[in-house]
Amino acid sequence: MSTQPSQYSPETLALSAGFVPDRETQAMTPPIAMSVNHCFIPEDGSFSAHGIDDLTEAPFLYAGWTNPTVRQLEQRIAALECTDDAYATTTGMAALSAVFFSFLRVGDHLIISDVCYAAVYEMAREILPDYGIEVSTVNLTDLEAVAKAIRPNTRLIHAESPCNPLLRLTDLKQLADLARQHNILLSVDSTFATPVITRPVTLGVDIVVHSLTKFMNGHGDALGGCVVGRKALIAQIRSRAGVYLGATINAHNAWLIMRGIETLYPRMKTMSESALQIARWLEKHPRVKQVNYPGLASHPQYQLAGQQMAHGGGIIVFQTDDMDEIARRFAEDARLFYYAYSIGHQRSLAVLLKTADLMESTYNMTVEQEKEYRDYAGDGLFRLSIGLENPQDLIAELDRLLG
């Protein structure tokens, strides 16, 4: 029997939403439907994707549009995010591309956070203008600045909360209210938060984006992304990105990510509890200049974090003296922290993000924007993605590496 989302708590939905035991075997693990094609009998003697408003209402036909295993994943994520539907993509970048190319046209205007995932920022600033789309980068914590940036042709505002890599927050409710006043869609990348910590739709956000590769999968073994929102919006995205952009996730990766989601709630709670202990310890270390973590009272938006985040999350960023030497120790001498550019694994990860390097390679900031960035990051920061190890073991390793 399928689960009715309104009946159960999120922890239960992470295991049950969209799941039905196999009819023939009664297997309690979802099967992987690897077939690209499905047989069908059209009711009117012909079948075409054209004219169908929602491809999920048609019979399973072609895996590029939808697939039984992928559909289970989408239903589960939609239930966790408290909204109608979801579309699962090959990567997080495919998910953002699906949003941008579904809702933006020549002559439209996009407002995007001035600090966000590097590839998203670079796509917005370097690729979208080639298609006649105007782009403004704005500190989305400043609602007055956002209001001033809005133009008659503004169609979409895209935020991250917490943003990568600063862990700066956006007041999603206030931003959603502002966007609604101007009839502008609001999308939010909630990869760092996951639905365990924040459900943006409940705060008025139209579209939620995830890189499923990260915390949602949680094992570092499958690429994936997802767009979540109202059924009509997701149907529009699926008809474009699935049919024409080829962005739909494959069944095997969908199955792996769905397996990861079954432990999402206990993983995120454990990681958040560990991260808070470690962040508090780092604040007291003599070589640490500053720690940014939403669960710390020292975070500039600690009150907002308490309002829209159930936990502090699994990411910590901090500044130290002698960054290069400490980065070398992480890369060469660490036993528990793996030096890698990713987040959300079951094992802890660490990487140094130098401000000068990011300003040169990615962020085309104004003087004021760079000053605001450096208020959080200084000349550079270490980003820790806390895993499932015992936090005291991680603290002992940090103590040894920091010296």
Side-chain angles (χ1 to χ4, degrees), residues 57-371:
E57 294 179 353
F60 288 113
L61 179 66
Y62 184 64
W65 302 347
T66 188
N67 162 280
T69 307
V70 172
R71 192 63 188 139
Q72 285 191 52
L73 172 65
E74 292 170 344
Q75 290 171 338
R76 190 165 301 182
I77 294 172
L80 293 179
E81 288 288 5
C82 300
T83 192
D84 298 337
D85 205 358
Y87 169 58
T89 61
T90 52
T91 64
M93 279 303 300
L96 255 300
S97 299
V99 172
F100 290 161
F101 286 108
S102 292
F103 298 111
L104 297 172
R105 306 284 188 276
V106 174
D108 287 348
H109 176 233
L110 164 70
I111 295 174
I112 192 169
S113 173
D114 64 346
V115 179
C116 60
Y117 179 52
V120 175
Y121 187 98
E122 290 166 6
M123 179 184 183
R125 291 301 300 262
E126 299 175 16
I127 305 299
L128 293 186
D130 291 345
Y131 293 87
I133 298 165
E134 301 170 12
V135 179
S136 297
T137 59
V138 180
N139 181 346
L140 298 184
T141 66
D142 185 349
L143 289 178
E144 289 187 8
V146 178
K148 289 180 181 178
I150 291 174
R151 306 172 186 173
N153 60 334
T154 304
R155 298 290 177 265
L156 178 68
I157 299 173
H158 177 68
E160 280 185 8
S161 191
C163 75
N164 183 11
L166 299 183
L167 302 187
R168 192 176 69 191
L169 309 181
T170 295
D171 189 323
L172 298 181
K173 186 178 186 306
Q174 288 194 15
L175 185 60
D177 290 343
L178 177 63
R180 192 177 303 108
Q181 291 170 18
H182 294 270
N183 197 30
I184 298 169
L185 286 175
L186 173 60
S187 63
V188 172
D189 187 328
S190 195
T191 296
F192 275 34
T194 80
V196 177
I197 292 173
T198 305
R199 294 191 188 111
V201 170
T202 65
L203 300 171
V205 171
D206 297 296
I207 299 166
V208 182
V209 178
H210 290 285
S211 171
L212 301 180
T213 310
K214 311 302 193 300
F215 289 108
M216 298 282 267
N217 173 36
H219 293 76
D221 56 9
L223 290 169
C226 196
V227 187
V228 193
R230 297 191 301 276
K231 194 172 184 65
L233 293 176
I234 300 304
Q236 183 176 343
I237 293 171
R238 187 189 304 276
S239 66
R240 283 180 170 266
V243 176
Y244 302 116
L245 300 182
T248 305
I249 195 172
N250 70 71
H252 187 251
N253 278 15
W255 186 90
L256 288 170
I257 292 166
M258 192 156 41
R259 168 218 57 187
I261 288 175
E262 292 187 349
T263 61
L264 177 63
Y265 274 79
R267 280 191 292 107
M268 291 305 297
K269 289 177 182 177
T270 296
M271 290 174 175
S272 295
E273 290 169 359
S274 296
L276 181 57
Q277 290 185 49
I278 294 166
R280 286 171 173 165
W281 180 86
L282 283 168
E283 276 197 310
K284 300 175 183 177
H285 196 281
R287 297 197 68 177
V288 173
K289 297 179 179 179
Q290 180 175 315
V291 181
N292 295 341
Y293 181 70
L296 288 177
S298 59
H299 190 281
Q301 298 163 294
Y302 178 68
Q303 185 175 359
L304 176 60
Q307 294 170 357
Q308 69 180 34
M309 299 179 69
H311 306 281
I315 306 296
I316 306 167
V317 293
F318 65 98
Q319 302 173 38
T320 70
D321 59 14
D322 202 352
M323 294 183 296
D324 291 332
E325 171 58 21
I326 292 174
R328 184 196 64 77
R329 294 181 188 179
F330 269 110
E332 298 179 1
D333 299 334
R335 303 181 190 121
L336 298 179
F337 284 95
Y338 294 83
Y339 200 75
Y341 282 103
S342 193
I343 63 164
H345 291 221
Q346 73 274 38
R347 296 180 179 88
S348 292
L349 309 175
V351 72
L352 171 62
L353 303 170
K354 286 188 174 182
T355 299
D357 291 347
L358 286 171
M359 294 301 150
E360 181 179 354
S361 66
T362 299
Y363 297 125
N364 182 20
M365 291 186 167
T366 66
V367 172
E368 180 60 28
Q369 286 174 333
E370 182 172 343
K371 179 182 181 300

Side-chain angles (χ1 to χ4, degrees), residues 19-60:
F19 173 67
V20 179
D22 184 82
R23 292 181 179 179
E24 293 186 8
T25 67
Q26 295 300 306
M28 293 181 64
T29 297
I32 309 177
M34 290 298 294
S35 180
V36 171
N37 304 98
H38 298 262
C39 296
F40 68 99
I41 302 175
E43 294 180 0
D44 60 357
S46 64
F47 188 89
S48 172
H50 295 288
I52 296 178
D53 293 330
D54 186 351
L55 291 171
T56 62
E57 294 179 353
F60 288 113

